[in-house]
Amino acid sequence: MAKIIAFTNQAGGVGKSTSVVNIAAFLSKKHKVLVVDADGQQTATMNLGINPYQLDYSLYHALVQPEKYPFKKVVVQTEYKVDLLPATEDLYMIELDLASAIGREARLKKLLKIASLSYDYILIDMPPSLGLMQINGLNAADEVVIVCQSQPKSANGLGMLLSSIERVREHLNAELEIKGVLITLYEKNTRVANKTIERITNHEAVKNKIFKTFIRKNVTLAEAGHRQEIETDKGIAILGEPILFFDEEGKSNGYQDYETLTKEFN
């Protein structure tokens, strides 16, 4: 069965979706990988080259109407050897639409129990909020990766996030483990980066769980995530691709960092 890993942070813009997509791509060189985009911002979906505005159904439909939209109907095969449970903007309504649903905090776990038979790794890109989808992701996962930008403010809410993880352990998923803290947008030997790491290590639960590989700030990563813009009547889809495919020569820091980091996942 697949190893299910949730990627989370209490704030947006820290490189969480970028990390999910790029780790998935490097893992897919040797493994069967599924990305679950559980964030209504749809960044992971678009970074895998899928236009969410052209989708008829998504993860939202599989969670709200699982009998009508089973996994096999919703999953998308991308051109990057990674399968995807895509997100659409409907996910912003999930808390309202499942408000009175029985077992609503376990909908994703139930869905992925079926999917896990077909994959080696399932990576969940979770929303930057402590709501229903966050709980679903932590409940479904075997491990959680906390993504922190190398800015002190990125670590400010870490205590609250760790408390949420502990509550999920106590009430829903006793087997959940913290796989590690991933430092992104790193600028070597700067005061702010060192301050961020210092704040993280102040938390007993993660002080020895920072990944050895830091993801350095890199223009090529940003370019890979903005390969194409498509204007639709619903909005602008900014489509990207994993750095593994964008930087075919593998010379950028982004390529090298995610390639090295992925080895820590095996």
Side-chain angles (χ1 to χ4, degrees):
M1 295 180 70
K3 175 74 73 174
I4 303 176
I5 307 173
F7 288 70
T8 189
N9 190 283
Q10 72 285 355
V14 299
K16 177 175 53 61
S17 302
T18 299
S19 296
V20 168
V21 165
N22 286 293
I23 292 169
F26 278 106
L27 283 173
S28 72
K29 294 173 73 174
K30 295 182 179 180
H31 303 282
K32 182 70 173 174
V33 183
L34 171 70
V35 167
V36 179
D37 191 351
D39 187 350
Q41 295 182 72
Q42 312 148 93
T43 306
T45 296
M46 290 190 280
N47 278 358
L48 283 168
I50 302 299
N51 184 345
Y53 302 121
Q54 294 180 334
L55 297 173
D56 294 322
Y57 28 78
S58 66
L59 174 62
Y60 165 86
H61 299 86
L63 295 177
V64 174
Q65 295 179 278
E67 297 82 9
K68 185 176 180 180
Y69 299 99
F71 174 80
K72 289 184 178 180
K73 187 171 184 177
V74 176
V75 69
V76 173
Q77 293 181 326
T78 74
E79 60 183 292
Y80 304 113
K81 294 178 61 181
V82 174
D83 287 355
L84 171 70
L85 275 177
T88 53
E89 289 180 335
D90 303 283
L91 274 177
Y92 286 124
M93 301 299 293
I94 197 80
E95 299 212 22
L96 179 62
D97 292 340
L98 291 181
S100 60
I102 298 173
R104 64 185 192 139
E105 72 284 345
R107 290 290 180 104
L108 183 59
K109 185 172 187 174
K110 187 175 181 180
L111 177 66
L112 296 186
K113 184 177 181 179
I114 299 170
S116 66
L117 299 174
S118 303
Y119 297 94
D120 300 310
Y121 286 92
I122 297 176
L123 308 186
I124 308 173
D125 183 22
M126 299 209 294
S129 63
L130 302 177
L132 180 60
M133 284 311 303
Q134 179 87 276
I135 294 171
N136 263 266
L138 293 175
N139 190 19
D142 302 306
E143 299 175 328
V144 57
V145 172
I146 299 168
V147 184
C148 282
Q149 180 183 354
S150 59
Q151 294 283 338
K153 64 180 181 180
S154 181
N156 283 348
L158 183 56
M160 184 181 296
L161 180 57
L162 291 171
S163 295
S164 296
I165 292 171
E166 188 57 36
R167 286 198 296 272
V168 170
R169 276 200 192 115
E170 291 176 2
H171 300 290
L172 295 170
N173 184 3
E175 304 300 319
L176 180 64
E177 297 288 341
I178 297 174
K179 187 172 183 67
V181 178
L182 173 59
I183 305 297
T184 60
L185 297 166
Y186 179 68
E187 295 180 89
K188 187 177 180 181
N189 295 328
T190 61
R191 180 176 174 274
V192 291
N194 292 334
K195 189 68 174 177
T196 301
I197 295 169
E198 180 184 336
R199 289 190 179 184
I200 292 170
T201 55
N202 285 336
H203 295 275
E204 187 69 25
V206 295
K207 70 177 185 179
N208 296 318
K209 292 191 174 183
I210 300 175
F211 285 103
K212 295 177 182 178
T213 306
F214 295 172
I215 306 302
R216 290 168 286 182
K217 196 172 184 179
N218 183 243
V219 173
T220 310
L221 276 175
E223 292 173 343
H226 290 75
R227 180 174 55 87
Q228 182 185 11
E229 290 190 12
I230 299 176
E231 188 170 353
T232 73
D233 56 355
K234 296 181 180 179
I236 297 176
I238 302 174
L239 306 186
E241 64 182 354
I243 194 72
L244 174 64
F245 296 87
F246 185 80
D247 177 14
E248 295 181 353
E249 296 183 356
K251 293 183 177 180
S252 68
N253 288 343
Y255 184 108
Q256 294 166 13
D257 291 347
Y258 277 113
E259 181 180 43
T260 303
L261 174 67
T262 302
K263 294 175 182 177
E264 295 190 55
F265 277 69
N266 288 318

